[in-house]
Amino acid sequence: MQNQKVKITKSVVAAAKPGAREFIVWDTALPGFGLRVRPSGATSYVFVYRLPGGRAGKVRKATITASTPDQARAKAKALAAVHHGGGDPAEQKAAARRKAAEPTVAEVLDRFIAEHVDRNLKPKTAEDYRRIIERIWKPRLGVMAIGDLATKDVAEAYQAMRKTPTQATLAVRVLSSAMSLAEEWGLRPAGSNPCRIRLKGSRRRERLFTASEVHRLLQAIDALESDGSLKISVARGLRLLFATGCRAGEITALEWQYVDLEEGVMRWPDTKTGILEKPITSEVRPLLENADRIVGVPWVCPSPTLRMMRVETLEAGFERVMAAADVPANENATLHLIRHWFASKVYSDKSIPLPLQMRIVGHTSTATAMRYAHATREEVQEAARGAAERRTKAIRDAASRGTVVHLPREVG
């Protein structure tokens, strides 16, 4: 049967006997379709074709998986149509196999969490990344093959989140970080990050606590602590926020071993910006000296269960304080706004050089410092009035000297 041309049927397949070398029984009904017989006796269907280039064109062989000759012939016809249409059936099959083995976006995000988020990010940041991945990206894009994820997919998802622009921007940045690592892992071509989309700039935080509001807030902390509505450690944590300008997580993680009353410093070994050192000022010292130290509890502001307090507990306490102080919780008036208020007071103090201001606030980036250097309405008004007075004086001085400034004539 070697090198014969017959119509391949079940009986032909059954009668095929192996030889010393592999051979193909060619089908008379469809050129290129054949039954391959190996020396072991194993048989398989194939479609053999030549790539463009005449006799110099490379011969390709596509293996066909089928249970009957008729099924195999039908698949061979489909491959022949691809070939005659200018395609490469064998390469298309290989590409399909590679695509089937390609990880999904969800699988890459799981690897991103395991190999980057959990290893390199601070616990609170890592928690935020996991929440964004599990609640936003996996439900939206998780089933897609990683190589199929395109810029339009990310842009559409971003537009769907336009009602929460700050959250949407953070979500895209998280996904962008994961896609950059996917390139490093060889799962996407270099420079193919699909998250390079136009992001809407987040609104600059303009809301600042006024001196009157801070006074009422501190009074409310005292009142709520006195009547038992606010836990002592929560009240202490809020007062420390106002006195230090720390991040909420830094206060909840503050341990007594970080406090050196004799040297007058608090020193955190590991924060968002690395090692952090804060001076113990006249505002801070009584808060620490009057605090009860509980044996076996390392934290300065422990939770009611004597564990490390969660930031959410501090946030809930501050919401009660704002309500009691009649301070509206609008325009981003959140716990973090205490830090903005503190920073604005430090950065507006012209007697302190910028490097020292940044050390007091706990910033390592000048760009970040400038985002916190808010000016109050009163400060802007005072500066504007001063500038106006100086302009008026300059004009009057020029007039008294008889100086005339000629303006260039418009060319019309």
Side-chain angles (χ1 to χ4, degrees), residues 36-180:
R36 178 169 53 191
V37 183
R38 299 183 185 276
S40 64
T43 58
S44 59
Y45 301 103
V46 294
F47 176 69
V48 181
Y49 59 96
R50 188 185 296 275
L51 293 177
R55 291 184 178 276
K58 187 176 181 179
V59 174
R60 302 294 294 270
K61 187 183 298 180
T63 302
I64 299 171
T65 302
S67 57
T68 67
D70 289 342
Q71 291 177 355
R73 187 177 290 105
K75 290 185 177 182
K77 286 181 179 179
L79 295 176
V82 172
H83 168 56
H84 294 307
D88 185 346
E91 176 54 32
Q92 288 188 5
K93 287 188 67 177
R97 286 194 298 271
R98 290 194 297 270
K99 179 62 68 177
E102 187 177 359
T104 63
V105 171
E107 290 169 337
V108 172
L109 289 174
D110 285 339
R111 181 177 174 184
F112 172 66
I113 291 174
E115 298 186 16
H116 175 69
V117 174
D118 289 344
R119 292 180 184 178
N120 302 320
L121 303 184
K122 303 295 182 186
K124 182 63 170 65
T125 306
E127 180 183 346
D128 290 341
Y129 272 48
R130 284 191 293 269
R131 174 180 54 79
I132 288 170
I133 287 170
E134 295 297 335
R135 294 185 183 180
I136 297 176
W137 292 126
K138 280 190 177 182
R140 289 178 182 273
L141 307 174
V143 298
M144 296 181 67
I146 188 63
D148 290 342
L149 183 60
T151 300
K152 70 177 185 62
D153 302 311
V154 180
E156 289 171 0
Y158 177 68
Q159 288 301 318
M161 296 184 283
R162 61 184 177 275
K163 291 184 179 180
T164 54
T166 301
Q167 171 86 344
T169 297
L170 177 59
V172 171
R173 287 173 177 164
V174 169
L175 183 63
S176 179
S177 180
M179 293 304 101
S180 293

